[in-house]
Amino acid sequence: MKTSEGFKEVIKNYLEKRAIEDELFAVTYKKENKSLDECCSYIMECAKKGGCAGYSDNEVFGWAVHYYDEDDVKNIKSVSGKVIVNHSVELSAEDKVKATERGMELAIEEAKCEAKKNLAGKVKLSEEERREAKQVAFQKVVSDQKEKLILKKTKKKEGVIVNEEIDLFSSL
C-alpha cells in the first residue's frame, strides 16, 4: 500500500519538530535503517492490530517515535486502509465569508445538475412549458439548498451567514 502524501507530511512534520526540540530523538531520527514510508506502514500496522476505528494524535505520533526508537521493529507488513488526517485551520473573517459563498455556489450548482438530470426526458412539454418548469424547479432546488446551508451554518455558529440573492438563471 502506498501511504498518502497528506498522512506522510503530518507524520514527517511531527517527527522533524520533535527532533528539533529533543536532542536525543534527533539522533534516533537520523538512523539510516529507518524510513518515513516504513514508519507510516508501521503506524498503519499498529492501528490495524489495535482494532479501533480511530486514534488520537498522541497515539499515532507515539507509534512513529517508537518505530524510530526501537531497532527491533522489522518486517513491517503493508496494511490496506484509509487514513483521515484532521487539520485545524484558522480562517480570517473574510476567508470564512468567501468559503461560505463558494460552498453555497457549489451546492447550488450540484443541485442544478441533479435537477436537470432528473427532469431530462421524463416529461413531454412544449418549449415554453419546459422553460417555465425548469425555472420553477431550479428556483425550488436553489431555495431548498440555501435553506439547508444557512440552517447548517447557523447551527455551527461559525463565520458569517451570507444571505444575498444570486442570479442562478443567467446562464439559461
Side-chain angles (χ1 to χ4, degrees), residues 41-164:
S41 292
Y42 176 71
I43 291 168
M44 293 293 290
E45 186 178 278
C46 290
K48 184 176 180 182
K49 286 179 183 175
C52 294
Y55 296 94
S56 71
D57 289 352
N58 288 338
E59 289 172 296
V60 173
F61 294 140
W63 292 329
V65 170
H66 180 78
Y67 165 79
Y68 280 94
D69 280 344
E70 301 299 324
D71 288 325
D72 64 343
V73 175
K74 298 176 184 172
N75 300 325
I76 297 166
K77 297 174 186 168
S78 199
V79 176
S80 181
K82 292 183 181 180
V83 176
I84 297 172
V85 179
N86 294 324
H87 291 278
S88 176
V89 177
E90 292 297 320
L91 297 176
S92 68
E94 183 181 331
D95 288 339
K96 287 179 183 179
V97 169
K98 286 179 183 177
T100 300
E101 288 173 351
R102 182 67 182 139
M104 289 180 82
E105 288 170 10
L106 290 173
I108 290 167
E109 282 303 312
E110 185 178 309
K112 282 172 55 177
C113 289
E114 187 65 29
K116 281 182 184 178
K117 187 169 69 176
N118 288 339
L119 288 174
K122 292 185 179 180
V123 180
K124 304 285 185 206
L125 300 173
S126 69
E127 191 61 37
E128 178 64 28
E129 290 172 323
R130 197 173 306 142
R131 273 195 301 264
E132 288 176 19
K134 278 185 177 180
Q135 189 164 8
V136 169
F138 287 147
Q139 287 172 347
K140 173 71 172 132
V141 170
V142 168
S143 175
D144 290 349
Q145 286 298 318
K146 277 186 177 181
E147 285 181 34
K148 286 179 186 177
L149 291 169
I150 290 171
L151 181 61
K152 186 176 181 181
K153 193 67 175 175
T154 302
K155 286 182 180 178
K156 288 184 177 180
K157 293 185 180 182
E158 293 179 8
V160 178
I161 298 173
V162 177
N163 199 7
E164 64 183 61

